Amino acid sequence: MSVIYKAKLKAAKTAVSEKNYDYAYDLCHDLLELDATSYPVHILLGVSCQHMSKWSEGASVYEKAKLLPKANTLAWQGVCALYEASGDHAKHTEALRELCDRLIAEGNLQKAWECMQKVLVLLEGTGDVRRLVRALEELAPNGPYNALLDVNGADPQPPTIVDLLNRMYRLESDLDSRLIESEVNKRRTRLGAGPISRVRTEVRSEVYAESGLLTTLTQLVEHSMSGPVDQLLENEELYFECLFDRILFVEPRNEAVAQLVNLAEDLVSNDKCSRAFELLIEMDDVGDRAAELVPKLVELFPDSVLAPAARAWMRSDAVDADVANGDADVANGDARESPFAQLQVVKSMERMGRDRACVDAAARARNAQHEFSEKYGAQLPRSRLQVDLASAGSYLRIGPEHAGDAEELFRVCLEADAKCTEAALGLGLATCALGNNEEGCQILQQLVDSDPLNHRAWGGLANAQLAADNTSGAIHAYKQAIAVDPVCAEHHAGLADAYWRLGGEWRSDK
């Protein structure tokens, strides 16, 4: 190295330290003409370019410096400083990532974490939530920077994996919500956009397809298993709520539903999450678990969407029928998509004798059942049977003009449950109401043969026999009905009417 070169190099260093960057810049170019591979000169030139706002040249100088044999982290730090000064956040972020990689390669994990922390702060400051989430994902399990979370003595100290995943959850959840609202507002005014509900469904499908929220929550639950139980349940509830809201957009659906039900079972066993109770109540299809789940829902979550319907179910056999009916009316407004709630509305209308309202409620209940089945792949045969029975009975009571509707529904009920005596009884009565007394009597006779203690069946057969002018047959059937249920006034009145029709001395029996 010549004396002139050494003198110029010393002068360049002095100029940079004295902030005489123009002079340092010229000296560095002179030096590079003498030795194009000098690493210190490249660094001094890069610093000079930064302070002279020569951003492109400075970046080029640092990139060349990185390739030199004596290159060290100064070149990567210089690029970071240059882009920070230029205000180019995207390039600054990328430079910090490259510096982080360099530090990891050198085994300096503490400095690498401090560098990554700057990346996170920078991304948070720019408001680029999507890129911030991606950066956090790289720190999460299976991410390239996950090892940085185990660094000790760093300032600030890296977060725990659970804290990191919680932060990701909050950011992704907020981002998804904002993206949906923004895109819906943009599309709703377009020509031919269609109903707002369809627009929102399309947008949600697109946003959820790109979202990593469910993956984040899956990891959050997994990493909470070794921690406090309360924390695990809290994160399970977050995951359940998210999966519950997005179940229509998750494939394969059957696996997602199975996972949702498993989460619900765990939450319910710990008295957590009203939605978990509601899902299991719906899935139970008014079966054996209703007696356990419904009262508990009312006790733990009195303000839940399904609570009014649950109270109606609990009071359905009570004297205060008006209260039960009132609860069912509330359910009609607050839980229109709930098969369980809509079934209680149907039963409420039936108890009140509001037959036309019962038929309308049954139509809404079938829609709710269909949509639930489409959503969860779960059939609800017991609920459907109860809705159809109530609706068919109402059609029958409305008048002869709807006897055909009643007959059709009663046949549907018998296809669903061939042993349903209520459906067989209704079918016999509906058939008679249509004027087919002979067929109706046959159906009712078969019913009393198979169920001789069914006083309603005997009464129905008696009525059918009377309508067919078989008075003696009617008297026999009424007597059988009274033998089974001696206090039923309807049977006694029917028997008296049959005796009256016989005339003469039989009228005294009336």
Side-chain angles (χ1 to χ4, degrees), residues 128-410:
D128 192 340
V129 179
R130 179 66 75 191
R131 293 188 66 197
L132 175 58
V133 169
R134 295 292 174 262
L136 291 170
E137 284 177 349
E138 292 178 333
L139 287 164
N142 302 320
Y145 301 119
N146 178 244
L148 298 182
L149 297 187
D150 296 326
V151 174
N152 292 318
D155 184 23
Q157 185 66 25
T160 66
I161 187 62
V162 171
D163 289 340
L164 174 74
L165 292 167
N166 265 313
R167 185 182 182 190
M168 289 173 60
Y169 158 72
R170 292 191 297 271
L171 287 169
E172 289 177 296
S173 180
D174 180 65
L175 177 63
D176 287 353
S177 297
R178 288 193 286 110
L179 285 174
I180 289 170
E181 288 308 312
S182 172
E183 194 62 26
V184 167
N185 289 334
K186 187 189 303 182
R187 296 188 193 182
R188 65 188 302 177
T189 56
R190 292 178 183 173
L191 187 64
I196 185 65
S197 58
R198 188 175 72 188
V199 172
R200 183 171 292 279
T201 298
E202 290 173 353
V203 171
R204 288 178 70 197
S205 177
E206 294 169 10
V207 170
Y208 293 159
E210 297 296 323
S211 173
L213 186 56
L214 286 175
T215 301
T216 298
L217 286 169
T218 300
Q219 293 180 333
L220 183 57
V221 170
E222 289 174 355
H223 286 274
S224 299
M225 289 180 177
S226 58
V229 174
D230 287 347
Q231 185 181 64
L232 172 61
L233 290 172
E234 181 181 338
N235 291 331
E236 279 190 347
E237 187 166 355
L238 289 176
Y239 186 25
F240 175 86
E241 294 280 2
C242 182
L243 187 58
F244 186 92
D245 287 333
R246 302 181 180 211
I247 197 70
L248 282 174
F249 308 98
V250 180
E251 294 296 341
R253 180 86 59 81
N254 59 335
E255 292 182 9
V257 169
Q259 191 174 26
L260 191 67
V261 172
N262 287 337
L263 283 167
E265 293 285 4
D266 196 31
L267 290 167
V268 165
S269 67
N270 288 280
D271 294 343
K272 301 287 185 181
C273 189
S274 61
R275 271 182 161 183
F277 273 89
E278 291 168 359
L279 177 65
L280 294 185
I281 288 171
E282 300 287 9
M283 288 287 193
D284 182 56
D285 188 26
V286 291
D288 298 334
R289 298 187 67 187
E292 168 203 352
L293 295 172
V294 174
K296 212 166 186 181
L297 172 71
V298 173
E299 176 189 352
L300 295 172
F301 307 101
D303 297 325
S304 70
V305 171
L306 217 57
R311 285 190 288 268
W313 181 88
M314 292 168 65
R315 296 166 176 159
S316 61
D317 296 327
V319 176
D320 57 342
D322 290 340
V323 179
N325 293 332
D327 283 339
D329 284 338
V330 172
N332 190 28
D334 294 346
R336 296 185 70 88
E337 297 180 359
S338 163
F340 177 82
Q342 292 307 312
L343 174 59
Q344 306 317 309
V345 177
V346 171
K347 288 185 170 183
S348 173
M349 298 301 106
E350 183 183 30
R351 283 193 299 271
M352 296 169 69
R354 295 172 58 183
D355 290 318
R356 293 190 182 278
C358 180
V359 169
D360 293 339
R364 291 193 297 272
R366 291 188 194 97
N367 287 336
Q369 291 164 352
H370 173 75
E371 291 180 9
F372 186 88
S373 296
E374 288 288 307
K375 192 173 185 179
Y376 296 103
Q379 302 303 314
L380 304 173
R382 286 189 291 262
S383 296
R384 183 59 183 262
L385 179 62
Q386 291 187 33
V387 167
D388 286 344
L389 280 173
S391 178
S394 291
Y395 271 131
L396 194 57
R397 287 187 294 274
I398 288 173
E401 68 274 17
H402 285 290
D405 297 314
E407 180 195 29
E408 182 179 349
L409 276 173
F410 282 129

Side-chain angles (χ1 to χ4, degrees), residues 475-489:
I475 290 173
H476 170 73
Y478 280 130
K479 286 181 177 180
Q480 292 295 325
I482 292 169
V484 177
D485 185 359
V487 298
C488 180

